[in-house]
Amino acid sequence: MLLYIDACVRKDSRTRRLAECLLQTLNQPYEKVELIECDFPKVDEAFLVEKDRLINEGAYSDPLFDYARQFSEADEIVIAAPYWDLSFPTILKAYLEQVNVSDITFRYTPEGMPESLCRAKKLYYVTTAGGEFFPEEYGFGYVKALAQNFYGIQDVELIKAKRLDLEGESVEQILADCEKEIVRRFKAA
Ligand SMILES: Cc1cc2nc3c(=O)[nH]c(=O)nc-3n(C[C@H](O)[C@H](O)[C@H](O)COP(=O)(O)O)c2cc1C
């Protein structure tokens, strides 16, 4: 199963448009999680205590772990997230806090290193930025580090378009060029 995690906020999101082009290109059925519609529990101390209690009891089928189980069972993952304040919207971090559950998506080795319990071997990260200054390390870089080190997903692809909010730029042209690039890179031969 392909899992599509939509962390876009705006109704007319350009990032989502590119992600939908990618999904069409990949041409597989998928499950979608629309993060803006999700009401994640607040990760306060009571939440952490309850989460630990369930893990200690081995109650992995509890609804608290629905997102983590779905993530761990996906064969491929597509994340769409606009570039916000050098990274991505809070909803994506809130989602990852629900997904990062020891004994479901990863576990620690006796040496204290994370080891994957996820099935996926490939993750696509789609993002767009308003400007030209678009360092990758805090948004994409963070997700890539998590994917590779916790979830065992070594193959992480970045799809990005930038300068979408600059005066004089043709947004349509930038998006159309990126869509062409998506088809070129990811259409099955
Ligand atoms: C809260 C917020 C923060 C943003 N931060 C940045 C930023 O740090 N750098 C940048 O180039 N653009 C920034 N932008 C502009 C967006 O990256 C740009 O408009 C992007 O295309 C939005 O994607 P969307 O059309 O999918 O919503 C920001 C926009 C918002 C709303």
Side-chain angles (χ1 to χ4, degrees), residues 39-107:
D39 201 6
F40 298 122
K42 185 173 173 187
V43 180
D44 55 11
E45 187 169 2
F47 175 86
L48 295 176
V49 168
E50 175 67 358
K51 180 178 164 187
D52 283 347
R53 183 184 71 77
L54 292 168
I55 291 172
N56 290 336
E57 286 175 6
Y60 302 117
S61 53
D62 190 275
L64 194 88
F65 302 132
D66 281 355
Y67 292 111
R69 279 199 317 278
Q70 182 188 39
F71 189 96
S72 74
E73 288 161 11
D75 296 304
E76 290 195 335
I77 292 165
V78 172
I79 297 179
Y83 192 64
W84 275 18
D85 304 325
L86 298 188
S87 65
F88 45 66
T90 308
I91 46 173
L92 181 54
K93 182 69 168 79
Y95 172 76
L96 292 170
E97 285 180 3
Q98 300 300 317
V99 156
N100 225 28
V101 179
S102 65
D103 293 340
I104 297 184
T105 45
F106 76 101
R107 68 179 162 220

Side-chain angles (χ1 to χ4, degrees), residues 83-179:
Y83 192 64
W84 275 18
D85 304 325
L86 298 188
S87 65
F88 45 66
T90 308
I91 46 173
L92 181 54
K93 182 69 168 79
Y95 172 76
L96 292 170
E97 285 180 3
Q98 300 300 317
V99 156
N100 225 28
V101 179
S102 65
D103 293 340
I104 297 184
T105 45
F106 76 101
R107 68 179 162 220
Y108 280 112
T109 65
E111 295 76 34
M113 295 303 285
E115 183 177 70
S116 169
L117 294 174
C118 292
R119 183 183 301 165
K121 292 285 170 273
K122 184 154 188 138
L123 184 146
Y124 304 83
Y125 188 87
V126 184
T127 189
T128 67
E132 173 64 34
F133 183 64
F134 193 2
E136 289 166 11
E137 59 261 51
Y138 312 110
F140 171 67
Y142 164 73
V143 171
K144 183 176 175 182
L146 203 51
Q148 293 185 333
N149 296 291
F150 277 75
Y151 309 141
I153 307 171
Q154 300 307 325
D155 189 354
V156 181
E157 298 273 5
L158 174 63
I159 296 114
K160 64 176 184 180
K162 60 184 181 179
R163 301 178 65 89
L164 291 181
D165 295 338
L166 296 188
E167 240 181 74
E169 288 291 348
S170 166
V171 172
E172 186 49 43
Q173 191 61 54
I174 295 170
L175 294 175
D177 287 348
C178 191
E179 286 173 330

